[in-house]
Amino acid sequence: MAKWGEGDPRWIVEERADATNVNNWHWTERDVTSWSQDVINSLLLGMRVEGEEGLCEITDVSNIDGEASINNRKGKLIFFYEWNVKATWTGTNKKGIKYKGTVEIPNLSDENDMDDLDICVTACKDQPITPLTDLMRKEGVKKIRMTLGNYVKQLKTQFSQGMILPTADEHSKQKESQAKVMLDKTQTGSSTTTNTPTSGVKISTVMFTLKETFLTSPEELYRVFINQQMVQAFTHLAAFVDGCPGGKFRLLEGNVHGQFAELVKITDQKIVMKWRFSSWPAGHTSTITLNFVDRGNETELTLEARGVPSNEEERMKGGWQRYYFEAIKQTFGYGARL
């Protein structure tokens, strides 16, 4: 049994594998059904498109029926997934009138290319005719294909890790390589050596701010930072996120971890966290404050970082820009108008 995200039973991944299978001769199988259902739900829920007619959003994913697994036979990975997905979309026209409809995806499977995916968009029978249905059938379908493509990408990258085990010779070489990498890491960045005690030692720190605009609501963007499934979606790696005041988080293979000091999700959304790179001196954390400001059809996110080691300022700015902001926009489609 392999556990993704300590303390969270939703992320127990069933594995049937022989630990001595170093030559990959035996069949090994990893069941990722539960993981897939969570990821598909988190990616689709809240997905929205906007046009001259108004705005449409998927407000409920009522059914994700099927299964998924990864199999290894003689060093070859075989991905199997077959899903029947049903969801509800809600549209609001420029006059504020709301409409509802359904989205059905009966053949999301490894046998079909994403371009061949059947996506049926209809309006509820009791609803009057509205151009919003056409908006969902055109732009909405495009975005659904892209979103489900992200699920398949994660399936083939995140959960394929460790499925092909090295041969005995490769295992020996791998150990030597890992030892060399650890030595190189120790020799570089000497000013931020891991586990350097901070007690009685002064660390020169700086404060900086970053601003970024996302094409989504403050409520949705706020959820991206505290929801474990959504964090795993945009980082493409297993993560542990306990999204409550005092809850801890660990992501990017443990390179980033910390604790949520304050969470405000009513009226003005705000997140305050104690945040650190694992390579920082032991016990030292920076304070990150995220403020979410509603700018109509978009959200302005302001990040304020305090207590950042002076020699880590540029690394931290670049990391937040690349691994948070850009990754979130690319994964959830919050970066470009449709």
Side-chain angles (χ1 to χ4, degrees), residues 243-274:
C244 65
K248 296 181 180 181
F249 58 86
R250 181 176 294 270
L251 54 149
L252 296 174
E253 297 183 324
N255 289 313
V256 167
H257 57 93
Q259 187 173 21
F260 294 109
E262 182 181 356
L263 294 175
V264 180
K265 59 181 179 181
I266 301 176
T267 61
D268 297 327
Q269 282 74 22
K270 181 173 77 170
I271 296 174
V272 181
M273 62 183 91
K274 296 297 183 180

Side-chain angles (χ1 to χ4, degrees), residues 59-178:
T59 52
D60 180 60
V61 183
S62 58
N63 183 68
I64 307 174
D65 185 33
E67 58 182 323
S69 63
I70 306 173
N71 303 279
N72 169 25
R73 178 58 174 167
K74 294 185 178 181
K76 180 180 180 181
L77 289 181
I78 301 171
F79 298 90
F80 171 80
Y81 55 93
E82 187 172 9
W83 297 104
N84 183 340
V85 182
K86 294 182 181 179
T88 299
W89 64 270
T90 300
T92 306
N93 67 14
K94 296 298 184 181
K95 295 182 179 180
I97 302 175
K98 294 185 178 296
Y99 300 83
K100 280 193 173 182
T102 59
V103 176
E104 294 191 29
I105 309 164
N107 65 336
L108 175 58
S109 74
D110 55 289
E111 296 181 353
N112 298 308
D113 292 333
M114 205 53 62
D115 292 338
D116 299 327
L117 192 63
D118 292 330
I119 302 176
C120 180
V121 175
T122 58
C124 292
K125 293 182 179 179
D126 59 344
Q127 299 287 299
I129 297 175
T130 171
L132 293 174
T133 305
D134 290 331
L135 175 65
M136 275 298 294
R137 286 173 177 166
K138 293 178 182 178
E139 303 303 329
V141 165
K142 290 179 185 177
K143 196 163 185 179
I144 290 171
R145 290 186 194 279
M146 180 184 71
T147 298
L148 294 177
N150 282 332
Y151 154 67
V152 175
K153 180 180 178 182
Q154 291 181 52
L155 176 66
K156 293 184 176 181
T157 54
Q158 177 175 329
F159 273 99
S160 63
Q161 297 177 13
M163 284 294 290
I164 297 182
L165 302 176
T167 64
D169 290 341
E170 289 173 336
H171 186 66
S172 177
K173 293 178 180 178
Q174 189 179 65
K175 278 193 170 182
E176 293 178 4
S177 177
Q178 289 174 344

